Amino acid sequence: MNTATSQSGPRKVAILGATGSIGGSTLDVIARHPQRFHASVLTAHSNVDALAELCVLHRPELAIIADPALEPLLAQRLRAAGVACEVASGHDAITAAAASALCDTVVAAIVGAAGLDSTLAAARAGKRLLLANKESIVMAGSLLLEALASGAGELIPVDSEHNAIFQCLPGGRSHLHKGGSLQASGIRRLILTASGGPFRGRSRAELAGITPDQACKHPNWSMGRKISVDSATLMNKGLEVIEAHHLFNAPADAIEVLVHPQSLVHSLVEYVDGSVLAQLGNPDMRTAIAHALSWPDRIEAGVAPLDLAASAPLAFEPPDLTTFRCLALAFQALRAGGDATAILNAANEVAVEAFLAGGLPFLSIADVVESVLTELPSQAVVDVQTLVERDRLAREAARRVLRNAC
Ligand code: NAD
Ligand code: MG
């Protein structure tokens, strides 16, 4: 049953990853519309103080901390603050909450493969799934689409590029992932824009000594550290190409990446008659989140109106695939098919973690990913268990590459 449409009163929204960048933007939009939305479940990895503070502000029914050792501390903080919500802990509690009657909408905003189980659970349970956690669809695209079909809920993309494409698709045919083809919708190409990140225009030699803080300083968007590094390597765009492939049933050859440094055009859809539809707006995730929360309605998001006359000229250029090899590797994994994109994602997560910890040079992130893709050739996707095992093997292989490199 599609629980998303079967209730009256405010929609009950579970925010998985509430203490993160997307979580914060979501709570900001929700707080503007108390008649429409209630944040009923809030989860975090280990930041008890931040989660407790959010509970004081938003009064959920359930607060979950992923690290079980921290549950007593969270309970104590909430008692002291006079917040009477249920408290739970652990990965499985997050997964269970995503499928529970406590919510009809789930915002999947955990970072990395850690978000896979809860994303799948929400899809199976027929929730409205607001997908920010792109790693889960990169890892398990076909399984997520099957879970969505079995749950008969709906997925609205939150990633700004995919949300833009969703908005530019023909009315009534917005769910290409339900089996429609681009061709049948008269679409020639999907064009994903990329800001180019903080190092656009630089040569490989200029990227040799990049530090984590430099990589996390994105020119237009304020985001968590992992996605910020992915944006700097262009792996983020690579993950988004794979995400678009699954969400919109688009072959790799029908997806193009265009660097657009101003981040005002969030993506475009080209039709066979030569029309190109784009979605524009200021670079603020609250637009995509508000759209996805309220679709098909429109609500105020707190985002400043776009002043095109005062904006820099809009520029577009092709990506530099020689310097930013991660984007080329993502296309390679997509074309290889099977679980190659899960292998790519796992290797990238390990490499980015090592870079953020100061243990891997920026340019070597692509080397680690490439070595692991070579070591573990693609296999067919069978089920979640097999995929999780392949993810584990890829992480092991990536750590071996890291050890040998040091
Ligand atoms: P973030 O690092 O700011 O927040 C991550 C959240 O996930 C935090 O609440 C953290 O507590 C939680 N978390 C981390 N590891 C966890 C674990 N093992 N178990 C349970 N919870 C865990 O990240 P973010 O920038 O908000 O990004 C979240 C997701 O959204 C990512 O997949 C990212 O690619 C995607 N996304 C983000 C943006 C953006 O503008 N920030 C845009 C598009 C897509
Ligand atoms: Mg994006």
Side-chain angles (χ1 to χ4, degrees):
M1 185 189 66
N2 181 350
T3 49
T5 53
S6 63
Q7 39 99 56
S8 58
R11 271 177 179 278
K12 295 177 287 178
V13 186
I15 300 155
L16 314 182
T19 51
S21 164
I22 292 287
S25 295
T26 305
L27 286 165
D28 181 276
V29 174
I30 286 179
R32 293 166 191 276
H33 301 280
Q35 309 298 322
R36 278 179 174 264
F37 306 108
H38 168 58
S40 55
V41 179
L42 299 180
T43 83
H45 182 229
S46 53
N47 192 337
V48 167
D49 289 336
L51 181 57
E53 218 169 280
L54 293 176
C55 291
V56 171
L57 280 173
H58 299 280
R59 303 278 160 172
E61 271 72 56
L62 173 63
I64 310 176
I65 192 86
D67 182 348
L70 295 171
E71 184 180 333
L73 184 62
L74 177 62
Q76 184 198 332
R77 288 274 198 287
L78 291 176
R79 254 196 321 275
V83 177
C85 74
E86 292 285 322
V87 176
S89 64
H91 181 85
D92 292 349
I94 297 178
T95 305
S100 76
L102 281 173
C103 57
D104 40 63
T105 299
V106 173
V107 182
I110 290 175
V111 60
L116 176 64
D117 289 337
S118 48
T119 301
L120 284 171
R124 274 191 218 106
K127 307 296 180 187
R128 170 173 288 200
L129 176 60
L130 271 59
L131 185 71
N133 175 237
K134 66 190 83 184
E135 293 90 349
S136 60
I137 195 162
V138 167
M139 237 184 122
S142 56
L143 299 177
L144 178 56
L145 296 187
E146 277 169 28
L148 270 168
S150 74
E154 55 202 358
L155 184 155
I156 319 280
V158 164
D159 214 349
S160 57
E161 296 75 5
H162 308 76
N163 184 268
I165 289 172
F166 185 97
Q167 295 196 45
C168 295
L169 290 176
R173 273 181 276 174
S174 293
H175 293 84
L176 288 180
H177 63 265
K178 287 187 176 160
S181 72
L182 290 190
Q183 231 172 4
S185 298
I187 295 166
R188 189 183 285 145
R189 280 188 310 166
L190 306 179
I191 304 168
L192 294 179
T193 53
S195 69
F199 309 134
R200 184 179 57 86
R202 297 218 199 159
S203 66
R204 284 181 69 77
E206 289 169 316
L207 295 179
I210 289 301
T211 65
D213 282 346
Q214 286 171 317
C216 288
K217 214 169 265 161
H218 196 279
N220 306 331
W221 299 94
S222 153
M223 309 181 287
R225 282 172 83 76
K226 194 263 176 179
I227 184 176
S228 295
V229 175
D230 285 346
S231 299
T233 61
L234 289 204
M235 181 57 95
N236 182 51
K237 211 48 54 181
L239 300 180
E240 290 182 356
V241 166
I242 299 163
E243 183 181 6
H245 160 76
H246 289 295
L247 285 179
F248 306 118
N249 202 9
D253 291 342
I255 306 172
E256 191 179 315
V257 172
L258 200 55
V259 172
H260 162 52
Q262 292 77 27
S263 296
L264 297 179
V265 177
H266 298 305
S267 278
L268 311 92
V269 177
E270 181 183 295
Y271 287 85
V272 287
D273 62 4
S275 299
V276 179
L277 301 192
Q279 186 260 352
L280 284 76
N282 283 317
D284 186 323
M285 288 306 295
R286 290 176 300 175
T287 296
I289 292 165
H291 169 267
L293 277 171
S294 64
W295 183 84
D297 294 344
R298 296 275 179 175
I299 55 170
E300 172 69 42
V303 177
L306 176 61
D307 185 348
L308 272 178
S311 303
L314 301 185
F316 300 93
E317 64 196 38
D320 171 359
L321 295 181
T322 316
T323 305
F324 299 98
R325 292 173 48 232
C326 284
L327 177 54
L329 288 169
F331 267 108
Q332 180 190 314
L334 177 56
R335 290 199 166 100
D339 63 8
T341 59
I343 304 290
L344 169 103
N345 178 65
N348 181 58
E349 284 193 33
V350 172
V352 170
E353 215 173 280
F355 166 70
L356 281 171
L360 185 73
F362 181 76
L363 285 172
S364 301
I365 295 174
D367 298 335
V368 173
V369 173
E370 186 170 34
S371 298
V372 177
L373 281 173
T374 308
E375 189 178 327
L376 296 172
S378 154
Q379 292 184 4
V381 174
V382 185
D383 53 27
V384 180
Q385 288 73 19
T386 319
L387 207 55
V388 168
E389 174 58 13
R390 291 279 288 169
D391 173 274
R392 194 186 63 73
L393 288 175
R395 282 167 203 267
E396 241 176 50
R399 290 195 189 100
R400 238 185 350 259
V401 176
L402 285 173
R403 272 198 303 275
N404 292 341
C406 295

